[in-house]
Amino acid sequence: MVTHRMVEAFRAVMQTGSVTRAAGMLNISQPSVSRLLADLEAGLGLRLFDRRGTRMTATSEGIELHDEVERSFLGLARVLDTAERIRARHSQVLSVATIPALGNTLLPEVLRGFQALRDAPVVHLHIVPSQQALSLLAQRRCDLAFASIAPAPEIGRQVASFPMRGRVILPAAHRLARGSRALTPELLAGEPIVALAAHSVMRVETEQAFAQRGVPFHVAIETMQAFSAAQLVQAGFGCAIVDPMTARAHEASGGASRAFEPEIDFSFSAYAWRTGDQMGWIERFVASVAAAVASLTGD
């Protein structure tokens, strides 16, 4: 009869490459590992290793079997991970996945105020792109997701929306850093642009805004995140069109920002999958984010 312990011994030898190391991993003797392997081969009717002295090399059958064993152990790991998430829901834990534009700017202050609330849960924070945040929500690996794209209805429901329009960020000493009216593609003509990732919605809309006015869009450097774009602007690589949260953080670090016309949509929303009584702390967290967003200066 094949036992789980035999399979564990086989997996340990495949992972470590030797009976000695496998014995150490399993905290048993080397003869015990060798006996388990021999019993497994006998039970399966397969030769899993070629033995030459103290050296053992997996046969093609052993390699094929190991692939299936790994899938089995990964399935067990997923079961244990699910159990941990279920335990977390019954303990005071709130798992939040958020886009970097929010996570790198307003969220630290939001968390400070939220954690000061009586009996507030511990927050597990994931700062990831929108698609990954929604994937975590779909897998029930987070309770709340902030994303700039909408999920399918079965993944989660919208619990709040945050309309936002793009702003231009510039170095403090830039010739366009001062002024009350919105900057336009015409006013930015010839300026090097620190552009967000190609093919992102914001990048496409920004390029279209320039093209519709007949103004060339001069990309000086491209980056995946608005937070990185702000750092590059501070370093003098050009200007960038980003969300108001990043613009506020840029101003706080000594830079300048101005409104941009035509409007570029940087809106995002909050999505959750829980309902009823489970929504209490989620709603309070979303309310804290809404208060922080409302504190942003207008155009």
Side-chain angles (χ1 to χ4, degrees):
M1 181 180 69
V2 173
T3 66
H4 184 71
R5 194 60 166 165
M6 294 175 192
V7 176
E8 279 187 322
F10 168 69
R11 181 172 183 256
V13 171
M14 292 293 289
Q15 285 184 325
T16 62
S18 78
V19 171
T20 301
R21 290 178 179 174
M25 175 186 289
L26 299 174
N27 198 28
I28 60 177
S29 67
Q30 294 179 43
S32 294
V33 173
S34 297
R35 185 171 60 253
L36 287 167
L37 291 178
D39 290 345
L40 178 63
E41 289 180 316
L44 295 175
L46 295 171
R47 184 168 57 86
L48 304 176
F49 295 96
D50 285 326
R51 296 166 174 81
R52 297 179 182 177
T54 59
R55 295 186 59 188
M56 297 180 64
T57 305
T59 64
S60 59
E61 290 87 355
I63 292 171
E64 185 176 352
L65 181 65
H66 179 252
D67 289 341
E68 184 58 37
V69 167
E70 278 302 295
R71 281 192 288 270
S72 175
F73 271 81
L74 285 173
L76 176 60
R78 285 194 291 269
V79 169
L80 296 174
D81 184 48
T82 299
E84 176 59 32
R85 293 198 302 273
I86 293 171
R87 284 195 298 273
R89 291 205 298 270
H90 292 290
S91 61
Q92 288 289 74
V93 174
L94 178 64
S95 182
V96 178
T98 179
I99 52 175
L102 172 63
N104 292 331
T105 57
L106 299 182
L107 214 52
E109 192 61 33
V110 167
L111 287 169
R112 185 176 292 109
F114 184 76
Q115 293 286 271
L117 297 174
R118 183 177 179 180
D119 298 326
V122 173
V123 175
H124 288 180
L125 183 62
H126 311 268
I127 299 179
V128 292
S130 287
Q131 293 89 339
Q132 193 171 342
L134 295 179
S135 177
L136 290 171
L137 190 70
Q139 298 170 46
R140 301 303 186 248
R141 294 177 60 189
C142 72
D143 303 300
L144 178 65
F146 293 92
S148 56
I149 57 177
E154 63 271 18
I155 291 177
R157 62 188 183 86
Q158 186 184 80
V159 294
S161 62
F162 304 94
M164 291 194 169
R165 56 189 299 178
R167 293 183 65 85
V168 183
I169 56 173
L170 316 100
H174 194 279
R175 64 180 182 85
L176 296 174
R178 300 290 178 266
S180 57
R181 67 178 179 136
L183 293 177
T184 62
E186 291 85 352
L187 291 172
L188 293 173
E191 293 291 333
I193 305 291
V194 178
L196 298 181
H199 310 303
S200 66
V201 174
M202 293 80 168
R203 170 70 174 273
V204 170
E205 289 189 359
T206 303
E207 289 189 345
Q208 288 176 346
F210 276 71
Q212 289 169 0
R213 303 289 183 90
V215 178
F217 188 74
H218 295 295
V219 177
I221 193 165
E222 184 178 287
T223 184
M224 294 294 292
Q225 295 186 5
F227 182 76
S228 173
Q231 292 179 314
L232 291 166
V233 169
Q234 286 282 39
F237 282 92
C239 60
I241 299 169
V242 298
D243 61 274
M245 298 176 292
T246 301
R248 163 73 71 82
H250 178 72
E251 291 174 356
S253 63
S257 89
R258 291 179 62 180
F260 179 75
E261 291 290 349
E263 180 177 330
I264 305 296
D265 187 15
F266 280 85
S267 302
F268 67 97
S269 295
Y271 301 94
W273 58 272
R274 295 192 186 188
T275 58
D277 294 341
Q278 297 175 320
M279 284 293 295
W281 284 111
I282 293 174
E283 291 173 341
R284 295 179 77 173
F285 191 89
V286 171
S288 297
V289 171
V293 169
S295 73
L296 295 172
T297 57
D299 292 343

